């Protein structure tokens, strides 16, 4: 049987006109990286097999479900620890993304291999969804939040304890802006600056008030708009762009999440009822 050496990169933008963040999905049977370092934090979740990494003068091993955090500037290699190879999902995060929501000191991870099933599952889900459709608002709503959680739970950085008063007002302001600009929503960083907040404070206030992150609220708002357009007789492919989804597949994914049926099935049912 031939070797399975597969790797794909996705570049996501964190908010409209915001900075980029790269995501890697890889499966290697034999590939071993040469010694190298990154300017960013490398945050990976092992999804299959086992990897051995030379790091900080020793060797670390990852297994399915492990979160691996490699710090900026640290030389490392990576390769299969066994004959069945290894598979992982990784993202490359600017250090500033891990200091938002902390007291500003660059986080240090004493243990580069972490066991946190809840966070590993959330990182994998976000990585998979954003790799499939790198929507800027979704990327900015999900990835910085998870990276701050990673820093809070597992690094030496201390969480900032300042509460954000007026969460309902903040959420209402953000909802209004997102609804008004649903075709090209503003970045959360810009919204936060306008409100005199950090992005993490905005995300925390919005989640506190609504129970969901901003991209999920906007997606549901877009689905509501899409329903009315489908009821008027427009086709799903037309509707997707009119309400701000990237394409019909993006519309379908969210339509099914919210309503349990595809846009086409919904359109057919309401058209049949009208007839």
């Amino acid at each position: 049987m031939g070797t399975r050496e597969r790797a794909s990169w996705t570049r996501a933008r964190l908010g409209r006109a915001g900075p980029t963040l790269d995501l890697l999905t890889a499966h290697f049977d034999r590939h071993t990286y040469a010694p190298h370092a990154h300017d960013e934090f490398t945050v990976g979740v092992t999804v299959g097999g086992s990897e051995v990494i030379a790091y900080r003068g020793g060797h670390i091993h990852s297994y399915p479900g492990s979160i691996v955090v490699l710090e900026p500037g640290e030389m490392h290699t990576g390769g299969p620890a066994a004959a069945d190879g290894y598979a992982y999902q990784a993202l490359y995060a600017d250090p500033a993304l891990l200091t938002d929501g902390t007291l500003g000191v660059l986080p240090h991870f004493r243990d580069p291999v972490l066991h946190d099933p809840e966070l590993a599952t959330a990182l994998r889900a976000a990585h998979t969804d954003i790799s499939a459709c790198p929507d800027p608002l979704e990327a900015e709503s999900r990835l910085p939040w998870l990276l701050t959680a990673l820093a809070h739970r597992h690094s030496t950085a201390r969480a900032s304890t300042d509460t954000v008063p007026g969460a309902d007002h903040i959420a209402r302001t953000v909802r209004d802006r997102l609804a008004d600009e649903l075709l090209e929503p503003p970045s959360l960083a810009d919204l936060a600056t306008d409100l005199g907040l950090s992005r993490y404070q905005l995300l925390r206030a919005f989640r506190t008030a609504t129970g969901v992150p901003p991209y999920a609220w906007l997606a549901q708002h877009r689905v509501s708009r899409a329903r009315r357009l489908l009821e008027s007789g427009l086709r799903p492919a037309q509707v997707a762009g009119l309400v701000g989804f990237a394409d019909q597949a993006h519309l379908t994914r969210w339509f099914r999440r919210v309503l349990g049926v595809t846009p086409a099935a919904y359109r057919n049912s309401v058209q049949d009822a009208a007839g």
Side-chain angles (χ1 to χ4, degrees):
M1 191 171 76
T3 59
R4 295 168 296 168
E5 308 288 285
R6 298 190 304 272
S8 60
W9 283 85
T10 303
R11 176 158 289 178
R13 192 169 290 282
L14 299 177
R16 188 175 75 193
T20 59
L21 182 149
D22 288 334
L23 304 110
L24 172 66
T25 302
H27 182 291
F28 295 128
D29 276 351
R30 298 181 179 175
H31 178 71
T32 298
Y33 287 98
H36 65 287
H38 301 282
D39 294 333
E40 310 92 349
F41 277 94
T42 303
V43 179
V45 180
T46 304
V47 300
S50 175
E51 183 181 10
V52 58
I53 302 168
Y55 187 70
R56 292 180 180 160
H59 289 85
I60 58 175
H61 290 78
S62 70
Y63 302 94
S66 300
I67 300 174
V68 178
V69 182
L70 307 178
E71 296 189 5
E74 291 273 11
M75 295 294 290
H76 60 278
T77 66
D84 58 350
Y86 61 108
Y88 66 101
Q89 294 170 289
L91 57 84
Y92 299 86
D94 186 276
L97 291 173
L98 283 84
T99 58
D100 195 6
T102 69
L103 294 179
V105 179
L106 190 67
H108 171 59
F109 293 83
R110 294 192 183 99
D111 188 349
V113 181
L114 308 172
H115 179 71
D116 187 332
E118 179 190 32
L119 187 55
T121 298
L123 284 166
R124 282 199 63 189
H127 191 291
T128 298
D129 290 344
I130 293 164
S131 294
C133 181
D135 177 78
L137 184 67
E138 180 170 1
E140 193 183 19
S141 294
R142 295 179 77 176
L143 297 177
W145 180 262
L146 291 173
L147 291 167
T148 298
L150 178 72
H152 283 180
R153 293 188 188 191
H154 298 290
S155 82
T156 56
R158 290 184 297 151
S160 54
T161 55
D162 53 317
T163 57
V164 184
D168 289 339
H169 169 72
I170 293 166
R172 191 161 51 248
T173 301
V174 173
R175 287 199 308 264
D176 288 347
R177 283 285 304 276
L178 294 177
D180 288 345
E181 303 175 46
L182 85 167
L183 295 183
E184 289 190 58
S187 73
L188 300 181
D190 287 345
L191 289 171
T193 298
D194 291 346
L195 290 166
L197 303 170
S198 72
R199 178 167 51 199
Y200 177 73
Q201 289 173 319
L202 182 148
L203 282 166
R204 186 169 60 178
F206 195 93
R207 284 169 172 265
T208 298
T210 69
V212 295
Y215 83 94
W217 181 87
L218 181 58
Q220 292 176 41
H221 180 72
R222 286 168 166 167
V223 167
S224 297
R225 295 280 296 267
R227 285 180 68 179
R228 294 197 289 272
L229 294 173
L230 292 166
E231 289 164 6
S232 76
L234 292 180
R235 297 187 305 278
Q238 298 171 288
V239 169
L242 291 173
V243 299
F245 284 114
D247 52 31
Q248 187 174 340
H250 196 201
L251 165 66
T252 299
R253 174 157 64 97
W254 273 102
F255 208 91
R256 289 192 67 181
R257 284 185 183 180
V258 174
L259 296 174
V261 297
T262 66
Y266 179 82
R267 178 178 179 269
N268 290 340
S269 66
V270 296
Q271 293 292 305
D272 290 344

